[in-house]
Amino acid sequence: MSAPGTPTGEAAAQFVAARLLAVIREDAGRADAKASFLLTLVVALPTLLLGITGLPHGRARAAPVLFALAVAGWLTGLGALVHAVLPRSGTRRSGPGLTYYADVLALHRDDGIEGIRNEAARAGRDPAVWLLTQAVDVSAILAQKYRWIRWGICSALGALVCATVGLLVG
């Protein structure tokens, strides 16, 4: 038996869908904050390392190769983190739905304002489904962001290891 004032049926489904969407959006904001911080760190790291140690002047043959690998890893990490913070312009969903600005623009381009109005009316008939469709769209974006963040971190750490070993060898 549910507690007094607890929504049931469609109201409960809509409440859960809205809460789920809010949690996913909060996590997307945290992912953007993480990626922005890491991007700043990755951009500053080479300057910091070169400022402290200077360019290597050693005679070891491995040092240039390690520094080339470090630069490649740094550029890969930088690109991945930039990709994580860039806004997304579409969703993976191929079915109908009005959950993202690209949906609004596509409907307006194809059917004008009437197409947007019809899709909004359809979404209004089942708000829980509309909220869950948004949750799926934002989840796909969030998964991409975290994938790019992982690539960025791994690449930047690999670059840091190569640069450190190159400095020690050189």
Side-chain angles (χ1 to χ4, degrees):
M1 187 167 182
S2 63
T6 302
T8 58
E10 182 58 32
Q14 189 172 340
F15 171 79
V16 169
R19 185 64 193 129
L20 177 64
L21 180 59
V23 167
I24 295 168
R25 284 189 173 154
E26 287 171 11
D27 201 21
R30 285 191 297 272
D32 280 337
K34 288 174 192 173
S36 296
F37 173 77
L38 290 167
L39 181 60
T40 302
L41 187 64
V42 167
V43 166
L45 192 60
T47 305
L48 180 64
L49 285 175
L50 291 175
I52 292 171
T53 63
L55 290 172
H57 300 293
R59 297 181 188 202
R61 292 183 186 188
V65 173
L66 289 168
F67 282 111
L69 289 172
V71 168
W74 178 76
L75 288 173
T76 303
L78 185 68
L81 292 169
V82 165
H83 198 77
V85 297
L86 287 176
R88 301 297 185 256
S89 60
T91 65
R92 292 184 181 176
R93 176 180 36 83
S94 60
L98 184 61
T99 65
Y100 201 59
Y101 72 90
D103 297 332
V104 173
L105 293 175
L107 281 169
H108 188 265
R109 182 187 62 238
D110 296 342
D111 302 327
I113 201 73
E114 195 58 35
I116 299 169
R117 185 176 191 278
N118 290 340
E119 195 58 40
R122 188 172 84 76
R125 286 191 292 275
D126 195 350
V129 169
W130 176 68
L131 289 166
L132 291 171
T133 303
Q134 285 185 65
V136 169
D137 286 351
V138 177
S139 293
I141 292 168
L142 181 59
Q144 283 182 329
K145 284 183 180 291
Y146 276 124
R147 187 173 21 261
W148 284 112
I149 290 170
R150 280 190 299 275
W151 272 100
I153 289 171
C154 290
S155 296
L157 287 176
L160 182 60
V161 167
C162 288
T164 303
V165 172
L167 286 171
L168 294 174
V169 170

